[in-house]
Each structure stands twice: as C-alpha cells, then as structure tokens.
Amino acid sequence: MANRITVDGTTPDLDGPAEAIRNGQLVVFPTETVYGLGANALDSAAVQRIFQAKGRPASNPLIVHVADIDQARRLAVHWPETAQLLTERFWPGPLTIVLRKSSYVPNAVTAGGATVALRCPGHSVALQLVRESGVPIAAPSANLSGYLSPTQVAHLAPEIVAAAAWIVDGGPCHGGIESTVLDLESNPPAILRHGLIRSKVLGEALGIDLQHGPPRNEDPPRSPGLLLRHYAPSCPVALVESGTDPDAVLDRMSLHRYSKVAYLMVHRAEAPQPAIRLVAMPDNPELYARVLYDTLHQIDAERFDVIVVEMPPDTSEWNAIRDRLQRASIR
Ligand code: AMP
Ligand code: MG
C-alpha cells in the first residue's frame, strides 16, 4: 500500500517520493491540471508500470514532465524558435509541446513514436518533485484509462492507490482539466488537445490561427488520445444544446423511465421532476473546468442512471470543456 504525505507548507519534504521515482516506482502527485501518476521517464520498466496500473493502451504515449527548458531541450532532437518562444512565455504551466524525440527518451514513453510530449508543470509540488528526483517524470493523469481524471486524492481508484509507492496529497487541483497539447513538428503548429491554456492565446503568441482544433479522422491519428472515449464517468452522459427546457429534453429523450437523473446546467431552470438533481455549473470556463471532474465524480459515486449536460456555448473559450464533455458522452 502506498505511503502518503499531505503537503500544506511551502517547502514540503519530498525525499521519499523523489527517491521512489529514482528507484523506478510510481508516485501520485498534484499538478495545476489534474493529479498525475509519475515514473522516471528514462527507465523503460518504470514507464511500463504506468501503462499496467492504468490499463492504458500501449499505443497511447505519455507526457514527460521536466524541471526547466534546459532539461526539455535534451529530450528533443531540435528546439525550434516556436518552442523557445512558447516555453519562455507559458512554462511552468499547462502547455504540452510535441517535438521529435532524442535518443534519451525510451520508446516505451512515446509508444514507439518519433515524437515526445513535454511539459514543465506550474504546481510548486510537481516542480519540486521533478527537480528533486533529478530525472524527467513521465506522468499521465492518475486515473484508470478512459475514466475521469482525478482532481483530488479522494478521486483515486483503489487500483491506482495499490500501484503507487507514494501518494502526495496537495488538495484540490486549481485548473481541473488537462493541459493543452500543441504539435510543433507540423507546419503550421497544430492543437492536438484543447486544454487549460486557450488555443486563441497560443495562436496569438505565434501569430497564427490555432482555433480550428485537433485534426480528426486521420489514419493513423497524430495523437492517439484524440480518438478515444475518455474523461468519462461510469454512468451515461447525454449532451443537450444550451437554453433547452429540461422537461422538453427529458420527454424527447424518453428519460422518464430513469429513476435518477442529474442535470448539469449553465443556465438556471426549475427542476421538472423531484427525482432530478439540478446542478448549477459556473458560467465562466475557468471556474467550470475547476469543478467539472469533481462534480462528475460525485454524481458517479451516487450512481445516477444518466447525467444530462447542457452544453456551454460553442465559442473558443469553451473549446476544452466542450471537448471533454463530448468525449465523456461517447459510449
Ligand atoms: P494524459 O495521458 O491524460 O496525460 O494525456 C496525454 C495526452 O497527450 C494524450 O492525449 C496523448 O495521446 C498525448 N500525447 C502524448 N505524447 C504524444 C506525442 N508524442 N504525440 C502526440 N500526442 C501525444
Ligand atoms: Mg488522461
């Protein structure tokens, strides 16, 4: 069973977790996006343990967390101007860049691919852990593959707890959804996953338009995570467009037969039936992101039959949220 440490001070003692990383063990740690399940990125056997613990398909590569730009540069064969410009501006932070990998990066990390995804985390605990362990840390979200990402330690699945040598509890994650993944090998650069940093802001920094979002229906996919059902609770998620009357929606979807319905809305309305739980979601994308997974985790724990979600507006600042909701609704 995992050792636990709760971090509340400014300079926590991370000797145990850092040593575990160096020894090839797994560590759960907080980041500004979601909780990560980390291992020494230079140790293939350690990296395999991540795939095993999550039940992650071997074809889905991992993000490597680095302490700074210098460490990132050693993991890529080249460092284009775009990488320098973006990392100086957005690191440490929730931006992941994809570049051709150097020979230091084991194939296990990149799922056999020629590129590596790199990010310098903005959370002080994550950053301290990467620094103190002295190696880059490969870390996907600390959930079972396909399921909701954890934004607090209470969300961790027992299988993940059992697989980790250490769990570092830093309280709830501030960002609440994953990083933005940007491919810098394609020309022009392309968003592979919408995330906490808006594509509009990245596009403005590069002087190009990035808002069209991830390429779809490519074979093989440029980012394997793109095509998966993902970020999903166990109970079914049904999406409805904004401003729709809940009663009409339930009628149309023949949902009356369900005994327990949770309805996540951005615009307030009256509960049409007593059995229906109405959850008022924030109408601001940052705040919505912060509470989204926790809300879904809670509803899932109460075993609702269906979660109906009123979609936020189809505008660029809601891209990442709409993406997560869409993939949560795929069955
Ligand atoms: P997570 O596992 O939740 O941290 O998500 C990582 C995301 O980054 C997934 O969607 C991966 O498919 C994507 N990713 C990681 N490495 C690469 C890479 N080398 N090229 C493209 N996408 C990647
Ligand atoms: Mg994930």
Side-chain angles (χ1 to χ4, degrees), residues 37-56:
L37 178 66
N40 179 355
L42 306 181
D43 178 342
S44 291
V47 168
Q48 300 289 6
R49 275 177 211 122
I50 296 179
F51 283 88
Q52 248 165 30
K54 281 179 63 85
R56 186 177 176 99

PDB file of all heavy atoms in Angstrom, residues 37-56:
ATOM      1  N   LEU A  37       0.195  10.340 -12.413  1.00  0.00           N
ATOM      2  CA  LEU A  37       0.802   9.090 -11.944  1.00  0.00           C
ATOM      3  C   LEU A  37       2.170   9.028 -12.613  1.00  0.00           C
ATOM      4  O   LEU A  37       2.269   8.760 -13.809  1.00  0.00           O
ATOM      5  CB  LEU A  37      -0.066   7.892 -12.360  1.00  0.00           C
ATOM      6  CG  LEU A  37       0.464   6.508 -11.974  1.00  0.00           C
ATOM      7  CD1 LEU A  37       0.491   6.324 -10.461  1.00  0.00           C
ATOM      8  CD2 LEU A  37      -0.377   5.407 -12.631  1.00  0.00           C
ATOM      9  N   GLY A  38       3.227   9.309 -11.829  1.00  0.00           N
ATOM     10  CA  GLY A  38       4.540   9.541 -12.427  1.00  0.00           C
ATOM     11  C   GLY A  38       5.528   8.414 -12.237  1.00  0.00           C
ATOM     12  O   GLY A  38       5.460   7.648 -11.271  1.00  0.00           O
ATOM     13  N   ALA A  39       6.479   8.323 -13.179  1.00  0.00           N
ATOM     14  CA  ALA A  39       7.610   7.391 -13.089  1.00  0.00           C
ATOM     15  C   ALA A  39       8.800   8.028 -13.801  1.00  0.00           C
ATOM     16  O   ALA A  39       8.623   8.942 -14.626  1.00  0.00           O
ATOM     17  CB  ALA A  39       7.262   6.066 -13.760  1.00  0.00           C
ATOM     18  N   ASN A  40       9.997   7.533 -13.470  1.00  0.00           N
ATOM     19  CA  ASN A  40      11.211   8.001 -14.146  1.00  0.00           C
ATOM     20  C   ASN A  40      11.074   7.789 -15.662  1.00  0.00           C
ATOM     21  O   ASN A  40      11.001   6.655 -16.133  1.00  0.00           O
ATOM     22  CB  ASN A  40      12.403   7.202 -13.593  1.00  0.00           C
ATOM     23  CG  ASN A  40      13.719   7.596 -14.255  1.00  0.00           C
ATOM     24  OD1 ASN A  40      13.739   8.400 -15.189  1.00  0.00           O
ATOM     25  ND2 ASN A  40      14.810   7.026 -13.757  1.00  0.00           N
ATOM     26  N   ALA A  41      11.062   8.877 -16.419  1.00  0.00           N
ATOM     27  CA  ALA A  41      10.832   8.787 -17.862  1.00  0.00           C
ATOM     28  C   ALA A  41      11.996   8.113 -18.588  1.00  0.00           C
ATOM     29  O   ALA A  41      11.852   7.705 -19.742  1.00  0.00           O
ATOM     30  CB  ALA A  41      10.591  10.181 -18.450  1.00  0.00           C
ATOM     31  N   LEU A  42      13.159   8.004 -17.932  1.00  0.00           N
ATOM     32  CA  LEU A  42      14.329   7.409 -18.598  1.00  0.00           C
ATOM     33  C   LEU A  42      14.427   5.911 -18.324  1.00  0.00           C
ATOM     34  O   LEU A  42      15.362   5.254 -18.786  1.00  0.00           O
ATOM     35  CB  LEU A  42      15.606   8.116 -18.139  1.00  0.00           C
ATOM     36  CG  LEU A  42      15.593   9.646 -18.320  1.00  0.00           C
ATOM     37  CD1 LEU A  42      16.912  10.254 -17.859  1.00  0.00           C
ATOM     38  CD2 LEU A  42      15.307  10.019 -19.766  1.00  0.00           C
ATOM     39  N   ASP A  43      13.476   5.364 -17.558  1.00  0.00           N
ATOM     40  CA  ASP A  43      13.508   3.970 -17.123  1.00  0.00           C
ATOM     41  C   ASP A  43      12.316   3.234 -17.746  1.00  0.00           C
ATOM     42  O   ASP A  43      11.181   3.367 -17.297  1.00  0.00           O
ATOM     43  CB  ASP A  43      13.439   3.971 -15.580  1.00  0.00           C
ATOM     44  CG  ASP A  43      13.406   2.573 -14.970  1.00  0.00           C
ATOM     45  OD1 ASP A  43      13.105   1.596 -15.689  1.00  0.00           O
ATOM     46  OD2 ASP A  43      13.651   2.469 -13.760  1.00  0.00           O
ATOM     47  N   SER A  44      12.587   2.450 -18.786  1.00  0.00           N
ATOM     48  CA  SER A  44      11.501   1.774 -19.532  1.00  0.00           C
ATOM     49  C   SER A  44      10.632   0.895 -18.636  1.00  0.00           C
ATOM     50  O   SER A  44       9.404   0.890 -18.774  1.00  0.00           O
ATOM     51  CB  SER A  44      12.061   0.873 -20.629  1.00  0.00           C
ATOM     52  OG  SER A  44      12.617   1.660 -21.630  1.00  0.00           O
ATOM     53  N   ALA A  45      11.266   0.164 -17.717  1.00  0.00           N
ATOM     54  CA  ALA A  45      10.492  -0.752 -16.852  1.00  0.00           C
ATOM     55  C   ALA A  45       9.547   0.049 -15.962  1.00  0.00           C
ATOM     56  O   ALA A  45       8.393  -0.341 -15.747  1.00  0.00           O
ATOM     57  CB  ALA A  45      11.438  -1.601 -16.008  1.00  0.00           C
ATOM     58  N   ALA A  46      10.026   1.189 -15.464  1.00  0.00           N
ATOM     59  CA  ALA A  46       9.185   2.035 -14.606  1.00  0.00           C
ATOM     60  C   ALA A  46       8.001   2.575 -15.412  1.00  0.00           C
ATOM     61  O   ALA A  46       6.862   2.600 -14.936  1.00  0.00           O
ATOM     62  CB  ALA A  46      10.013   3.179 -14.034  1.00  0.00           C
ATOM     63  N   VAL A  47       8.284   2.977 -16.639  1.00  0.00           N
ATOM     64  CA  VAL A  47       7.234   3.533 -17.507  1.00  0.00           C
ATOM     65  C   VAL A  47       6.171   2.473 -17.820  1.00  0.00           C
ATOM     66  O   VAL A  47       4.970   2.752 -17.832  1.00  0.00           O
ATOM     67  CB  VAL A  47       7.876   4.102 -18.800  1.00  0.00           C
ATOM     68  CG1 VAL A  47       6.825   4.405 -19.848  1.00  0.00           C
ATOM     69  CG2 VAL A  47       8.702   5.346 -18.470  1.00  0.00           C
ATOM     70  N   GLN A  48       6.629   1.240 -18.017  1.00  0.00           N
ATOM     71  CA  GLN A  48       5.666   0.140 -18.282  1.00  0.00           C
ATOM     72  C   GLN A  48       4.689  -0.023 -17.119  1.00  0.00           C
ATOM     73  O   GLN A  48       3.529  -0.371 -17.312  1.00  0.00           O
ATOM     74  CB  GLN A  48       6.394  -1.198 -18.466  1.00  0.00           C
ATOM     75  CG  GLN A  48       7.383  -1.233 -19.620  1.00  0.00           C
ATOM     76  CD  GLN A  48       6.710  -1.221 -20.984  1.00  0.00           C
ATOM     77  OE1 GLN A  48       5.483  -1.074 -21.067  1.00  0.00           O
ATOM     78  NE2 GLN A  48       7.496  -1.326 -22.038  1.00  0.00           N
ATOM     79  N   ARG A  49       5.188   0.228 -15.901  1.00  0.00           N
ATOM     80  CA  ARG A  49       4.312   0.087 -14.723  1.00  0.00           C
ATOM     81  C   ARG A  49       3.144   1.069 -14.782  1.00  0.00           C
ATOM     82  O   ARG A  49       2.064   0.788 -14.272  1.00  0.00           O
ATOM     83  CB  ARG A  49       5.120   0.317 -13.436  1.00  0.00           C
ATOM     84  CG  ARG A  49       5.790  -0.926 -12.997  1.00  0.00           C
ATOM     85  CD  ARG A  49       6.682  -0.759 -11.766  1.00  0.00           C
ATOM     86  NE  ARG A  49       7.739  -1.733 -11.928  1.00  0.00           N
ATOM     87  CZ  ARG A  49       9.036  -1.484 -11.968  1.00  0.00           C
ATOM     88  NH1 ARG A  49       9.487  -0.271 -11.761  1.00  0.00           N
ATOM     89  NH2 ARG A  49       9.889  -2.451 -12.207  1.00  0.00           N
ATOM     90  N   ILE A  50       3.367   2.243 -15.372  1.00  0.00           N
ATOM     91  CA  ILE A  50       2.270   3.216 -15.516  1.00  0.00           C
ATOM     92  C   ILE A  50       1.177   2.626 -16.413  1.00  0.00           C
ATOM     93  O   ILE A  50      -0.010   2.667 -16.085  1.00  0.00           O
ATOM     94  CB  ILE A  50       2.760   4.546 -16.143  1.00  0.00           C
ATOM     95  CG1 ILE A  50       3.768   5.235 -15.227  1.00  0.00           C
ATOM     96  CG2 ILE A  50       1.578   5.456 -16.451  1.00  0.00           C
ATOM     97  CD1 ILE A  50       4.314   6.545 -15.809  1.00  0.00           C
ATOM     98  N   PHE A  51       1.590   2.073 -17.559  1.00  0.00           N
ATOM     99  CA  PHE A  51       0.620   1.509 -18.505  1.00  0.00           C
ATOM    100  C   PHE A  51      -0.179   0.383 -17.840  1.00  0.00           C
ATOM    101  O   PHE A  51      -1.390   0.290 -18.006  1.00  0.00           O
ATOM    102  CB  PHE A  51       1.342   0.984 -19.757  1.00  0.00           C
ATOM    103  CG  PHE A  51       1.766   2.078 -20.700  1.00  0.00           C
ATOM    104  CD1 PHE A  51       2.995   2.701 -20.560  1.00  0.00           C
ATOM    105  CD2 PHE A  51       0.929   2.493 -21.718  1.00  0.00           C
ATOM    106  CE1 PHE A  51       3.382   3.718 -21.422  1.00  0.00           C
ATOM    107  CE2 PHE A  51       1.304   3.504 -22.589  1.00  0.00           C
ATOM    108  CZ  PHE A  51       2.537   4.121 -22.440  1.00  0.00           C
ATOM    109  N   GLN A  52       0.571  -0.443 -17.067  1.00  0.00           N
ATOM    110  CA  GLN A  52      -0.081  -1.561 -16.375  1.00  0.00           C
ATOM    111  C   GLN A  52      -1.110  -1.072 -15.362  1.00  0.00           C
ATOM    112  O   GLN A  52      -2.237  -1.535 -15.335  1.00  0.00           O
ATOM    113  CB  GLN A  52       0.975  -2.330 -15.595  1.00  0.00           C
ATOM    114  CG  GLN A  52       1.235  -3.720 -16.128  1.00  0.00           C
ATOM    115  CD  GLN A  52       2.532  -4.269 -15.530  1.00  0.00           C
ATOM    116  OE1 GLN A  52       2.900  -3.914 -14.405  1.00  0.00           O
ATOM    117  NE2 GLN A  52       3.204  -5.094 -16.303  1.00  0.00           N
ATOM    118  N   ALA A  53      -0.699  -0.115 -14.525  1.00  0.00           N
ATOM    119  CA  ALA A  53      -1.563   0.358 -13.443  1.00  0.00           C
ATOM    120  C   ALA A  53      -2.833   0.996 -13.988  1.00  0.00           C
ATOM    121  O   ALA A  53      -3.911   0.849 -13.420  1.00  0.00           O
ATOM    122  CB  ALA A  53      -0.809   1.355 -12.562  1.00  0.00           C
ATOM    123  N   LYS A  54      -2.723   1.724 -15.107  1.00  0.00           N
ATOM    124  CA  LYS A  54      -3.864   2.443 -15.665  1.00  0.00           C
ATOM    125  C   LYS A  54      -4.705   1.584 -16.610  1.00  0.00           C
ATOM    126  O   LYS A  54      -5.815   1.963 -16.956  1.00  0.00           O
ATOM    127  CB  LYS A  54      -3.371   3.668 -16.469  1.00  0.00           C
ATOM    128  CG  LYS A  54      -2.983   4.858 -15.624  1.00  0.00           C
ATOM    129  CD  LYS A  54      -2.488   5.990 -16.518  1.00  0.00           C
ATOM    130  CE  LYS A  54      -3.527   6.543 -17.470  1.00  0.00           C
ATOM    131  NZ  LYS A  54      -4.403   7.567 -16.936  1.00  0.00           N
ATOM    132  N   GLY A  55      -4.137   0.468 -17.074  1.00  0.00           N
ATOM    133  CA  GLY A  55      -4.785  -0.279 -18.144  1.00  0.00           C
ATOM    134  C   GLY A  55      -4.784   0.558 -19.409  1.00  0.00           C
ATOM    135  O   GLY A  55      -5.735   0.564 -20.188  1.00  0.00           O
ATOM    136  N   ARG A  56      -3.703   1.306 -19.604  1.00  0.00           N
ATOM    137  CA  ARG A  56      -3.618   2.234 -20.737  1.00  0.00           C
ATOM    138  C   ARG A  56      -3.147   1.483 -21.974  1.00  0.00           C
ATOM    139  O   ARG A  56      -2.194   0.708 -21.894  1.00  0.00           O
ATOM    140  CB  ARG A  56      -2.622   3.337 -20.392  1.00  0.00           C
ATOM    141  CG  ARG A  56      -2.498   4.479 -21.410  1.00  0.00           C
ATOM    142  CD  ARG A  56      -1.519   5.508 -20.851  1.00  0.00           C
ATOM    143  NE  ARG A  56      -1.201   6.627 -21.707  1.00  0.00           N
ATOM    144  CZ  ARG A  56      -1.769   7.839 -21.610  1.00  0.00           C
ATOM    145  NH1 ARG A  56      -2.735   8.046 -20.734  1.00  0.00           N
ATOM    146  NH2 ARG A  56      -1.381   8.823 -22.375  1.00  0.00           N
TER     147      ARG A  56
END
